């Protein structure tokens, strides 16, 4: 089975609300592999690189302030079709529009403070992994459950 890597970030409100374990549990429950993970404080430099595409939008300044307002958990999640599958699990940007059962629908109410970020394309996954992870921080290891989950 062809594996793909995606980037996720549990935003400061997710950490403060004690949702790190619960959110990561959803990925583990689907048999997705955590290939990298750390708790960091997003600096202004990291935030401006990550959110470059949003410069000039009305929510840019509040977003920049919010993302730097406390520690976040960044992770690399590996699975078949990981980018699209994780975006589906995360739900629509505005939690009010997110499908019932998605992470944002379950734990968020506010369009800015929507608990979690996930890369939206192969290019953004690669770019965001590169912004937040150094070489050697992403681990290549067999997840034994994958032998049982996927056909050769
Ligand atoms: N209309 C908006 N008003 C306030 N904040 C927003 C709005 N749109 C997006 N944001 C914030 O900016 C982040 C990045 O936006 P975007 O990339 O469009 O969404 P997504 O996180 O679903 O990929 C969102 O997750 C959210 O925190
Ligand atoms: Mg986005």
């Amino acid at each position: 089975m062809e594996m793909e890597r995606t980037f996720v970030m549990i935003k400061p409100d997710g950490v403060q609300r004690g949702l790190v374990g619960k959110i990561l549990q959803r990925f583990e429950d689907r048999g997705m592999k955590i290939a990298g993970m750390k708790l960091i404080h997003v600096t202004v430099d990291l935030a401006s690189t990550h959110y470059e595409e949003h410069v000039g939008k009305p929510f840019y300044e509040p977003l920049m302030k919010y993302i730097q307002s406390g520690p976040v958990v960044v992770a690399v999640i590996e699975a078949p079709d990981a980018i699209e599958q994780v975006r589906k699990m995360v739900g629509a940007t505005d939690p009010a529009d997110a499908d019932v059962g998605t992470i944002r629908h379950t734990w968020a109410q506010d369009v800015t403070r929507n608990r979690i970020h996930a890369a939206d394309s192969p290019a953004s996954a690669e770019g965001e992994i590169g912004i937040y992870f150094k070489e050697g921080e992403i681990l290549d290891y067999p997840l034994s459950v994958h032998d049982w989950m996927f056909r050769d």
Side-chain angles (χ1 to χ4, degrees), residues 22-114:
K22 283 182 177 152
I23 291 174
L24 291 173
Q25 188 67 54
R26 293 200 166 195
F27 302 126
E28 291 188 301
D29 283 348
R30 283 202 78 196
M32 294 172 152
K33 185 199 288 185
I34 300 171
M37 182 171 68
K38 54 188 181 177
L39 179 80
I40 61 163
H41 207 111
V42 178
T43 60
V44 67
D45 284 354
L46 285 171
S48 18
T49 313
H50 179 176
Y51 284 127
E52 206 173 359
E53 64 174 309
H54 297 305
V55 174
K57 294 183 187 168
F59 59 85
Y60 179 73
E61 291 303 332
L63 176 62
M64 289 289 285
K65 202 170 149 208
Y66 158 55
I67 214 69
Q68 296 175 71
S69 63
V72 302
V73 169
V74 287
V76 176
I77 301 293
E78 191 175 301
D81 193 30
I83 297 164
E84 196 182 328
Q85 294 302 314
V86 167
R87 286 285 290 191
K88 279 188 184 166
M89 293 166 78
V90 164
T93 307
D94 186 344
D97 300 328
D99 287 342
V100 174
T102 58
I103 293 168
R104 284 171 171 165
H105 183 272
T106 304
W107 287 299
Q109 298 282 343
D110 183 271
V111 64
T112 298
R113 294 171 176 263
N114 58 8

Side-chain angles (χ1 to χ4, degrees), residues 113-124:
R113 294 171 176 263
N114 58 8
R115 305 294 177 267
I116 183 167
H117 164 85
D120 65 3
S121 66
S124 66

